[in-house]
Structure formats: C-alpha cells, structure tokens
Amino acid sequence: MLRSLGQRPVTGSDEDPRVAELRTAVSRLRRELAAHPAEFPDRAIAEDELAALAAMTAHGIPEIPRLRSSLLLIAGAIGSVSALTRGLTQVRDAVELFGEPPRR
C-alpha cells in the first residue's frame, strides 16, 4: 500500500514501488511461461528477456530504454500464445509505470 503523499511503500522500504510492481509482474510471467506445456520457436528469447528484466529489478531503477526493448522482444516472442496474454499485459503495464518513451 502506498502513502497518499508519496511514492514509497508503507513498509518503510526505500524501494521504488514501480520496481516492486515490475518485479512481481515479471516473476508471475516467468512462472506462467515455465508451466506452459507448449514449445514455440521464440520461447528461449522470452525466457532470456524475462531473466534480464528480473535482474534489472534487483539493482534499483532500470534503464527505461532497456525495459522497453525487453518488453518488445518478449511481446514478439510470446504475443501469439493466448494463455500468456494476461501475464504479458501485466508486465507491459508495469513497464509503462516508468513513463512514456521520449518523442523523436
């Protein structure tokens, strides 16, 4: 739960709540992917990028361009697997908490 005036969790931790949300979403999708019985051509790409996202959340606030790049790779790799759509959406929503990409 977040305090109404700040962006820090009530737990007293200094962890950015966006990072916590991303970590939770990534962990959930990794579990769903591991439990998914079907093999598909880009499964290894999705697993590698999810592992990279998990590592990024362990070291403070991740680099936003890298987050977006990983998200695109994951979406491309598992986007057509309907059983993983909810988990992918949660990861996308968590990445979007870090802000919009800069306009070119």
Side-chain angles (χ1 to χ4, degrees), residues 17-70:
R18 300 172 302 171
V19 175
E21 183 73 23
L22 180 59
R23 180 182 307 112
T24 300
V26 167
S27 177
R28 185 175 300 124
L29 183 54
R30 288 180 85 183
R31 285 191 311 271
E32 290 173 7
L33 181 58
H36 190 68
E39 286 298 319
F40 48 93
D42 295 330
R43 184 179 188 125
I45 293 169
E47 291 169 343
D48 289 348
E49 288 303 316
L50 285 166
L53 282 177
M56 282 186 249
T57 64
H59 302 291
I61 297 177
E63 295 178 27
I64 295 170
R66 180 67 174 106
L67 283 178
R68 295 194 175 282
S69 175
S70 288

Side-chain angles (χ1 to χ4, degrees), residues 88-99:
L88 178 59
T89 299
Q90 291 172 340
V91 170
R92 184 194 73 224
D93 292 347
V95 168
E96 288 177 356
L97 293 173
F98 289 88

